[in-house]
Amino acid sequence: MIQPVSRPRLASTHWAAATWLALQLTVYGGAVSAQTTSIPPNATTEELKKTTEQLTERKKAIEAETAVITAEKALAAAKDTTKAPAADEIAAAKAAKELAELQKAQAEAEKARAEAANATTKAKFGDIPASGFTGAVELGTNAGSTEALLLASVAVRSVAKEMAEAIGKAKPGNMTKAMLYTSSTVPDFQALASFRAQREGFKASFEATNEATKNAPKGGGLAASVTPVGLALDAAGKLLNFFKTDFKFQSFEVASSDGMLLAAVAGELRALTPPVAAQAPTLYQVGMAGTLQQTVVDDIKDALGRAQQAMLRMAPHVAAAKEREPRLAAALKVKADETKPKPERDAAAADAERLQGEVQRANEAAALWKALADRIDAWSTKLATPDDRGQIPLAAVVRQAAVQAELESGAALVVLQLHKAAGTGYTKKNLLSSLGANPFFVMGGAVASMTAMDGKTGDVFASALVPVHGGYHSVSDVKAVVNRR
């Protein structure tokens, strides 16, 4: 025979109360869709107590909901136009007030039910900690700087492609190649212009000195210190001195950012269809030696030759002055001698005056030729002497002459400037990042300009100011973005 299960009195009481509430909710549920609750017969006292509390709160909520429904029906009835206006207004006001109170009661009941459910969950599973995510955005010092630089280089590559395409589309038909320079290394051709101006100046000075001294007295021979052989050896020695000088045809310093753009544009020009040849004279320049031998050295030889001629032209005047100086001294002596007859002294005075004028004109002519020779000599010495920055003027002349020859043959002068290549980044914290998603995001961008000019005319045939924003990428994706070709 099966014995009935014996229950403590307290448990029986709670079980009965819970069962009654469940039945009540079942009755209400027929009207308001309440959920029924089955009470297991073997529930513990604690479980019955919690169930009773939940059912009590649910019953309150259902009662409040039922009251709201009743009040809404009353309000609708109060608005019935078949009733008297005064009764309608009174009924409507009353119904509205009751509805507001009931809605408040319903909200409080819902809040109580939610708190009861939360208490049950908390009792069963314990406290649930807060996520710790506040939505704040942080970026540590120098975090992602390398990735940002890599993305900036990708932006520079995009800039270079756009610039190369602009040059390819607009290039003149006679363009043979592009000479690429950064804005800080564009040749101003001042050294070359000065060199050629002085060379032409020496020619003009030689002709002017020749004209000014053609009537000056000349001696029958050369001065002892001036011989054609000596002058020729002196000129040859000065010319050879240029080749003994330790020339350093070194490149201008190019900033790393500008160098990035220059290299990228050179590559993109070669990739065009048809390709455009590109040279970077600040890095390497072909043809400087040939230009040196064919142009610059010829100009220097010409100038030194004029200095030699100046010294040779000076010599007869120096000789003439030396020949007349003893006769001038003798005439002056006779002129000053009171013991000599007056006619003899007058003749000596006239002779002394003539000789003095001839000596003066001879010395002036010699001085003019010597000054010209000294100017040429100082000029040639300065060309081979490093300046305060260690740069040799002749090297600048050679370099600029080579560039000018390329431009005159049809090359374009392209000036590039990378105004800014930089990046930035940020971090974000959320649920996904806590599950392993990388929270670091970086971007790289660049702003650059380009001006392309016809080497012969100087006309600008293409120009561009190109800004590129590379977009933000997770640092996990930077490798794929940077290595993509």
Side-chain angles (χ1 to χ4, degrees):
M1 179 178 183
I2 299 175
Q3 297 294 328
V5 178
S6 124
R7 294 179 178 273
R9 180 176 179 80
L10 182 59
S12 298
T13 302
H14 282 294
W15 183 84
T19 302
W20 180 84
L21 284 172
L23 291 174
Q24 291 295 317
L25 288 174
T26 301
V27 174
Y28 280 110
V32 296
S33 301
Q35 297 179 348
T36 60
T37 303
S38 60
I39 308 301
N42 57 348
T44 65
T45 301
E46 187 64 28
E47 289 174 342
L48 289 173
K49 182 179 180 181
K50 291 178 181 179
T51 302
T52 301
E53 292 174 352
Q54 292 178 21
L55 292 174
T56 300
E57 296 300 329
R58 189 181 303 173
K59 179 176 179 293
K60 291 179 180 179
I62 293 172
E63 288 174 346
E65 186 175 354
T66 302
V68 169
I69 294 173
T70 303
E72 288 176 344
K73 289 180 179 180
L75 181 60
K79 292 180 179 180
D80 189 351
T81 58
T82 59
K83 298 181 180 180
D88 289 345
E89 293 177 1
I90 296 173
K94 182 178 179 181
K97 179 180 178 182
E98 293 177 352
L99 179 60
E101 293 176 350
L102 290 171
Q103 286 176 337
K104 179 180 178 182
Q106 182 184 23
E108 292 176 350
E110 290 291 341
K111 178 181 177 183
R113 182 170 64 179
E115 291 175 349
N118 184 53
T120 301
T121 303
K122 183 176 180 181
K124 186 174 183 179
F125 298 104
D127 289 336
I128 299 177
S131 66
F133 299 120
T134 63
V137 177
E138 300 174 359
L139 182 63
T141 303
N142 296 326
S145 58
T146 301
E147 289 81 1
L149 175 61
L150 292 172
L151 291 175
S153 68
V154 175
V156 170
R157 204 160 56 199
S158 299
V159 169
K161 183 176 180 64
E162 184 171 337
M163 290 180 173
E165 290 175 350
I167 293 173
K169 290 178 182 178
K171 67 175 182 175
N174 62 344
M175 176 179 157
T176 57
K177 66 181 68 173
M179 309 288 284
L180 305 181
Y181 284 92
T182 62
S183 59
S184 60
T185 61
V186 179
D188 55 13
F189 299 105
Q190 288 187 4
L192 180 61
S194 175
F195 175 86
R196 291 177 175 173
Q198 288 178 309
R199 178 199 62 190
E200 295 302 318
F202 294 148
K203 292 180 181 180
S205 295
F206 187 90
E207 298 301 328
T209 303
N210 187 56
E211 182 67 22
T213 61
K214 65 181 181 180
N215 295 323
K218 297 178 182 179
L222 295 174
S225 60
V226 181
T227 65
V229 175
L231 289 174
L233 290 175
D234 181 65
K238 290 176 180 176
L239 186 61
L240 290 173
N241 185 53
F242 287 104
F243 298 96
K244 293 177 182 178
T245 302
D246 294 330
F247 288 113
K248 289 184 66 178
F249 295 101
Q250 61 187 12
S251 303
F252 291 105
E253 182 180 355
V254 178
S256 59
S257 57
D258 286 341
M260 288 168 57
L261 180 61
L262 189 149
V265 170
E268 294 296 339
L269 287 173
R270 295 196 310 272
L272 293 176
T273 305
V276 174
Q279 287 188 3
T282 56
L283 302 178
Y284 178 72
Q285 188 168 344
V286 179
M288 289 195 298
T291 303
L292 176 64
Q293 293 174 359
Q294 298 172 13
T295 305
V296 178
V297 170
D298 288 343
D299 290 339
I300 294 174
K301 286 172 63 177
D302 180 75
L304 292 176
R306 292 183 185 280
Q308 179 184 359
Q309 288 295 318
M311 294 298 291
L312 290 172
R313 297 290 181 92
M314 177 192 74
H317 300 298
V318 172
K322 287 185 177 295
E323 289 173 357
R324 286 164 174 73
E325 285 173 356
R327 287 187 290 165
L328 174 60
L332 290 173
K333 184 177 180 182
V334 172
K335 175 185 175 182
D337 190 352
E338 296 292 337
T339 64
K340 299 290 183 181
K342 186 176 183 304
E344 186 177 351
R345 285 188 287 116
D346 289 343
D351 193 34
E353 184 177 359
R354 177 183 58 80
L355 289 172
Q356 195 169 25
E358 291 178 353
V359 169
Q360 182 177 352
R361 292 198 306 275
N363 285 333
E364 288 175 350
L368 288 174
W369 285 116
K370 187 176 187 305
L372 177 59
D374 288 345
R375 281 174 55 203
I376 296 174
D377 182 66
W379 171 74
S380 63
T381 300
K382 185 177 180 181
L383 282 175
T385 303
D387 60 18
D388 54 355
R389 296 177 298 173
Q391 295 184 1
I392 300 172
L394 182 59
V397 171
V398 173
R399 187 163 41 238
Q400 292 177 9
V403 172
Q404 188 175 70
E406 292 286 357
L407 297 177
E408 290 176 349
S409 67
L413 178 65
V414 179
V415 182
L416 305 167
Q417 184 171 4
L418 186 57
H419 302 283
K420 190 71 173 179
T424 185
Y426 68 87
T427 63
K428 65 179 182 180
K429 296 191 298 182
N430 57 21
L431 181 60
L432 292 179
S433 65
S434 69
L435 297 176
N438 201 314
F440 296 96
F441 290 80
V442 291
M443 68 77 65
V447 179
S449 61
M450 174 274 294
T451 305
M453 294 166 279
D454 188 308
K456 290 184 177 180
T457 65
D459 294 338
V460 175
F461 65 85
S463 62
L465 175 62
V466 186
V468 172
H469 187 294
Y472 282 93
H473 301 275
S474 168
V475 292
S476 301
D477 301 330
V478 170
K479 179 179 179 181
V481 174
V482 172
N483 294 341
R484 185 170 56 224
R485 292 291 187 268

